[in-house]
Amino acid sequence: MKIIAFNIIASKNVGLGHLYRAITLAQGLQNYNIVFFCEANSYAVTKSISKNKFQLIRYNKNNLIGKIKILNPDLLINDILNTTEKYMNALSFLHIKTLNFEDLGEGSKFASLVINELYDNPVNSNNNVLWGHEYFCLREEFVKSKPNKYREKLKNILITFGGTDQHNLTLKILNKISHVCKEYKIKIYVVT
């Protein structure tokens, strides 16, 4: 059976989006042996969310390449943000095919394929990148959901930026709309 490995990050600092995307993809790959690599600081949260469905291999930065070499996956999916040239060259030397998500790092040009769905317009000239929202991986619970019907009177607003909201967009939006929402008795729900 072919092996597909995921190298993911998940923590309070970067959020859980990378882990949830990896689990969504892994659940659709039932004819493969799925293995997750995660740093020691991501291990507990990864284990609790994946609920022991997948093999987890914990690593530190000094032994990741060695552990990948031992496993020798047919495909390594990196959902760790920006990769380094050194890391990606080491994978190339091992002849491991790679798929990277949200990778704008120096190593991205060495990946077999990169998917940057957050950017509709390219931010670099690498020819191994798919850009745009049409490559977004929608989690199963959203695939089956139905859109809300249009309402003449607005009752609620949901604000969520996911991840870590590094640009503090939640507060910026709240500051812009809170006075109008208060005036028209519109409830604001915030997910952080």
Side-chain angles (χ1 to χ4, degrees):
M1 185 178 291
K2 291 192 174 189
I3 300 171
I4 297 179
F6 289 83
N7 183 16
I8 57 99
I9 53 173
S11 69
K12 288 182 181 178
N13 293 339
V14 297
L16 301 177
H18 306 279
L19 173 58
Y20 280 116
R21 175 180 24 229
I23 289 172
T24 297
L25 292 172
Q27 288 172 336
L29 299 169
Q30 296 177 6
N31 295 329
Y32 298 89
N33 183 12
I34 303 295
V35 178
F36 277 69
F37 287 99
C38 61
E39 279 192 87
N41 65 350
S42 297
Y43 184 79
V45 70
T46 302
K47 185 174 176 93
S48 69
I49 291 174
S50 68
K51 298 181 181 28
N52 298 319
K53 290 182 181 178
F54 308 105
Q55 178 185 353
L56 294 177
I57 298 175
R58 185 182 343 199
Y59 70 87
N60 62 48
K61 291 186 191 244
N62 298 330
N63 67 4
L64 173 60
I65 296 298
K67 290 187 180 228
I68 291 171
K69 181 179 180 179
I70 291 167
L71 182 67
N72 193 27
D74 295 282
L75 174 66
L76 176 65
I77 299 174
N78 289 298
D79 205 338
I80 57 173
L81 293 175
N82 302 330
T83 58
T84 65
E85 189 171 335
K86 180 180 176 184
Y87 169 71
M88 293 304 296
N89 278 333
L91 296 174
S92 293
F93 181 76
L94 296 174
H95 304 287
I96 295 174
K97 291 185 185 201
T98 54
L99 167 61
N100 296 3
F101 282 96
E102 297 177 24
D103 187 358
L104 300 177
E106 287 297 314
S108 65
K109 61 187 164 203
F110 300 103
S112 305
L113 180 65
V114 178
I115 298 176
N116 282 327
E117 80 275 1
L118 297 178
Y119 304 92
D120 283 327
N121 297 312
V123 297
N124 63 40
S125 60
N126 298 347
N127 61 4
N128 62 337
V129 183
L130 298 175
W131 301 96
H133 65 277
E134 63 269 13
Y135 299 104
F136 182 75
C137 178
L138 192 62
R139 293 193 345 226
E140 185 177 332
E141 59 266 30
F142 297 114
V143 171
K144 296 177 183 177
S145 66
K146 295 179 182 162
N148 284 334
K149 292 181 181 176
Y150 178 79
R151 297 182 185 116
E152 290 293 328
K153 183 171 169 36
L154 187 61
K155 296 179 184 179
N156 305 296
I157 292 178
L158 171 67
I159 301 173
T160 179
F161 287 98
T164 58
D165 191 13
Q166 68 268 26
H167 300 294
N168 201 19
L169 298 174
T170 300
L171 183 59
K172 290 175 183 175
I173 296 296
L174 278 171
N175 288 337
K176 293 283 186 188
I177 68 168
S178 61
H179 67 282
V180 174
C181 290
K182 186 175 182 178
E183 180 182 339
Y184 289 97
K185 296 179 176 48
I186 299 169
K187 290 183 184 177
I188 301 173
Y189 295 90
V190 176
V191 177
T192 60

